[in-house]
Amino acid sequence: MIIVLTSLEATAALAHALAACIAVSPALPPVLLHGQLGAGKTTFIRELVQALPGSENAEVSSPSFNILNLYPTTPPVGHFDLYRTEGRNFDPDLEETLFAPDHFCLLEWAEFLPREYMPDSHLDMVWTAEAETRTVEITAHGPEAQALLECLEKATSI
């Protein structure tokens, strides 16, 4: 699925559509976000978290310096940012936290996740920025992710 976003409102609409799918999904595969600085990944995550119940208690920001922010939404969201892990040894204990079943995982800078830690079922979102336009290519890996993508395809009217 490829979506072209031409405004912040379109990014918010995509995030709200995914939040609606999360609300009805029996399984929540991780969403791995790839893309350069300024591509819209954090903006998308902020909008998604704010669309979930309980977001009034969540201050969404990029967790670049501490790698993880947990938000008290329904479902709880684990917002990971691997930007500062580039070129460093990946801590295997982080894998358990990344993909723990007690939260919905949103992972920025997924390109820094070693292949051997890649979850079997996940959504890849590749963000590309050009001027004011963002292009997002979304690919499902595994049956749970495929079901979530199918819901998103039905829910988007962007």
Side-chain angles (χ1 to χ4, degrees), residues 1 47 52 56 60-61 66 76 133 145:
M1 172 180 190
E47 291 292 336
L52 295 172
E56 63 277 0
V60 182
S61 63
N66 57 355
T133 301

Side-chain angles (χ1 to χ4, degrees), residues 49 57-61 63 66-73 76-80 97-98 100 102-105:
V49 170
N57 299 316
E59 184 178 329
V60 182
S61 63
N66 57 355
I67 300 179
L68 166 65
N69 286 339
L70 290 171
Y71 304 121
T73 54
V77 171
H79 177 192
F80 296 84
T97 305
L98 276 172
D102 64 341
H103 63 265
F104 175 55
C105 176

Side-chain angles (χ1 to χ4, degrees), residues 10 14 26 68 75 77 81-82 95 104 130 141 150 153-154:
L14 176 61
L68 166 65
V77 171
D81 185 326
L82 296 184
E95 178 189 20
F104 175 55
E130 188 172 318
H141 303 273
E150 288 170 7
E153 288 172 335
K154 291 176 185 171

Side-chain angles (χ1 to χ4, degrees), residues 32-60:
L32 309 183
L33 296 95
H34 310 257
Q36 74 263 29
L37 283 170
K41 300 179 303 290
T42 303
T43 299
F44 171 79
I45 289 173
R46 181 179 304 112
E47 291 292 336
L48 190 151
V49 170
Q50 290 175 346
L52 295 172
S55 65
E56 63 277 0
N57 299 316
E59 184 178 329
V60 182

Side-chain angles (χ1 to χ4, degrees), residues 18 22 46 55 58 66 69 82 85 93 116 135 138 153:
L18 184 56
I22 290 166
R46 181 179 304 112
S55 65
N66 57 355
N69 286 339
L82 296 184
T85 67
D93 292 336
E116 63 266 23
T135 302
I138 307 171
E153 288 172 335

